[in-house]
Amino acid sequence: MSARPVDEPHRVSSQLELLFDLTFVVAVAAATAELAHHIADGHGLAGLIPFLQVFFAIWWAWMNFTWFASCYDTDDVAYRLLTMVQMAGVLVLAAGLPAAAGHDDYAIVTLGYFIMRLGLVAQWLRAAAEDGGRRRTALRYATGVGLLQVGWVLRLVLDETGILPPALRLPFFACLVVLELAVPRWAERVNPTTWHPHHIAERYGLFTIILLGESVLAASRGVQGALEAGRGGGALVVVAGSGLVLLFALWWLYFLVEAGEGLSERRHRSFLWGYGHYGIFAALAALGAGLEVAVEQGGHRLEVSPTALGYAVAVPVAVFLVLIAAVHALLVAQAALRPPVVAVGVAAILLLPLAAPLIGVTAVVVAVAAVCVLLVAVTIARGRRSARHVHALGADDRQQLQRLLGG
């Protein structure tokens, strides 16, 4: 197990990585469904914290594997088997999500997370044994991940035995999260791993598409629920269609920037870029839950208020827009999404649900989608103006401008 070259040509996701992602589809779908149930019952805020907690476990396990594979994907028998162990852990975690979200019972979730982390520790120990140049880095990863897994098990034991007061559950969780996030920074100080920027960008793009697909699936569940209640109609078609247009617009905005080139030129910003995707991914998953309930509400009435349901759609979209603009700005000198334009769009989106009692949830979803489509149109128009301006310059001026703008 030697490190793969950082500039390896034609590096793409392997079939094993794609299979690995499919197991996360199950986990994300389970988390989204539980949040949708809370929103439909009028307890969206109460379900938000458990959702963010379990989604952290999903995202962090996926991210750790992705960056490891970018450096050490040998695709031999041992590597495949240990990766399959991590897949099994994902499925166990997904099975425990209903108990975690509904009854604060994290036993099965912790077991699934333990299995995933056990497979990752074994991978790092193998890298330490076979890649002498980065032995200390690999050992730091294995040590950090292993010790923190002890911390997660300890948290479960203290909670199950009643030693950990309910008021300290969330602070204990937050402390472990901070330590988890610190492990890569600590380990990479010795000798950085040779992750491939274009491979990483592709992996994140694929997971974004998976989350958008989950939102489509969630919306279709809402349509099914409304039809089963015998309340289909024009409002149902409008809200479902608007939700689909909204997802198209978010896809367009995410892929405005070629992340591979940016990561290649600015490797020192990879931590901020990678960590910022927790909020992006969580927002897309939460949007799926909000759209499911909004579409279902288009067919029949639910317990949730129109304003709360409007914010279940608007807040995830606003978070996505803010964070996608931020991570794009990390990689390019001049971002396609201008901060003033994003600020105006986010403000409009967050104000729209206040009018939900008067105009209805369907109109709010339509308006949110319209704002996002407008943002796409603005970026396209601005990009065309910039292209015409660059084309009008002389060859020397054009090359100088491209260097200033990061290529």
Side-chain angles (χ1 to χ4, degrees):
M1 179 173 276
S2 58
R4 297 179 67 157
V6 69
D7 57 350
E8 179 181 347
H10 310 298
R11 180 72 191 277
V12 295
S13 299
S14 67
Q15 290 86 349
L16 183 62
E17 287 176 309
L18 298 178
L19 179 62
F20 183 82
D21 287 351
L22 285 180
T23 60
F24 280 85
V25 170
V26 178
V28 172
T32 301
E34 291 300 323
L35 180 59
H37 291 326
H38 279 93
I39 294 172
D41 293 338
H43 306 296
L45 287 177
L48 182 60
I49 296 300
F51 167 78
L52 293 176
Q53 288 179 310
V54 297
F55 195 84
F56 173 81
I58 295 170
W59 165 76
W60 189 240
W62 177 88
M63 197 176 90
N64 280 197
F65 167 79
T66 295
W67 290 79
F68 176 88
S70 190
C71 181
Y72 287 112
D73 185 357
T74 56
D75 199 33
D76 56 10
V77 173
Y79 178 85
R80 288 185 175 189
L81 292 177
L82 288 173
T83 300
M84 291 173 181
V85 169
Q86 295 179 69
M87 294 183 198
V90 176
L91 297 177
V92 173
L93 183 146
L97 287 177
H103 309 287
D104 288 331
D105 182 1
Y106 288 88
I108 299 178
V109 169
T110 303
L111 174 61
Y113 191 68
F114 178 83
I115 295 172
M116 287 189 290
R117 308 304 272 172
L118 185 65
L120 183 63
V121 169
Q123 295 274 39
W124 279 117
L125 289 176
R126 182 187 173 195
E130 300 181 16
D131 184 10
R134 291 178 176 79
R135 179 170 291 115
R136 288 184 61 196
T137 302
L139 287 176
R140 283 194 174 196
Y141 269 111
T143 302
V145 173
L147 289 177
L148 279 167
Q149 189 52 55
V150 174
W152 289 111
V153 174
L154 177 62
R155 177 183 180 272
L156 176 65
V157 171
L158 293 177
D159 190 23
E160 293 289 331
T161 56
I163 298 176
L164 183 66
L168 293 181
R169 290 175 182 170
L170 189 56
F172 201 145
F173 176 88
C175 288
L176 290 173
V177 166
V178 170
L179 292 173
E180 288 271 19
L181 296 175
V183 168
R185 293 299 299 265
W186 171 62
E188 295 281 336
R189 287 179 180 177
V190 179
N191 190 5
T193 54
T194 59
W195 51 270
H196 195 288
H198 293 280
H199 175 251
I200 288 293
E202 183 196 23
R203 298 291 294 127
Y204 273 71
L206 288 173
F207 202 71
T208 299
I209 292 173
I210 286 174
L211 291 167
L212 289 169
E214 290 286 355
S215 295
V216 173
L217 175 61
S220 68
R221 287 199 300 261
V223 172
Q224 182 180 1
L227 293 177
E228 288 177 351
R231 296 289 298 274
L236 178 63
V237 174
V238 171
V239 70
S242 299
L244 189 60
V245 171
L246 172 60
L247 296 175
F248 290 162
L250 298 184
W251 171 87
W252 200 305
L253 293 171
Y254 180 87
F255 290 101
L256 281 173
V257 171
E258 172 52 53
E261 292 294 332
L263 287 171
S264 178
E265 297 172 0
R266 298 171 173 82
R267 291 179 72 90
H268 62 287
R269 295 184 176 179
S270 60
F271 281 103
L272 291 176
W273 183 85
Y275 288 178
H277 274 75
Y278 168 72
I280 293 173
F281 290 163
L284 288 176
L287 175 60
L291 285 177
E292 177 178 349
V293 182
V295 171
E296 188 175 355
Q297 187 268 350
H300 62 281
R301 291 189 174 276
L302 301 173
E303 296 296 328
V304 60
S305 69
T307 301
L309 184 49
Y311 274 114
V313 174
V315 170
V317 173
V319 171
F320 175 88
L321 291 176
V322 170
L323 290 179
I324 200 61
V327 298
H328 282 349
L330 291 171
L331 302 183
V332 295
Q334 186 174 358
L337 281 171
R338 298 180 62 186
V341 176
V342 174
V344 172
V346 168
I349 288 171
L350 292 178
L351 289 173
L352 283 170
L354 297 177
L358 298 176
I359 64 177
V361 175
T362 299
V364 170
V365 176
V366 171
V368 170
V371 171
C372 292
V373 169
L374 184 60
L375 287 175
V376 172
V378 169
T379 58
I380 292 174
R382 181 169 176 264
R384 287 180 175 177
R385 287 197 300 270
S386 299
R388 286 196 297 268
H389 177 67
V390 171
H391 182 72
L393 295 173
D396 294 338
D397 293 334
R398 189 158 55 244
Q399 291 177 1
Q400 183 179 2
L401 179 60
Q402 288 176 340
R403 285 196 298 270
L404 290 174
L405 296 180

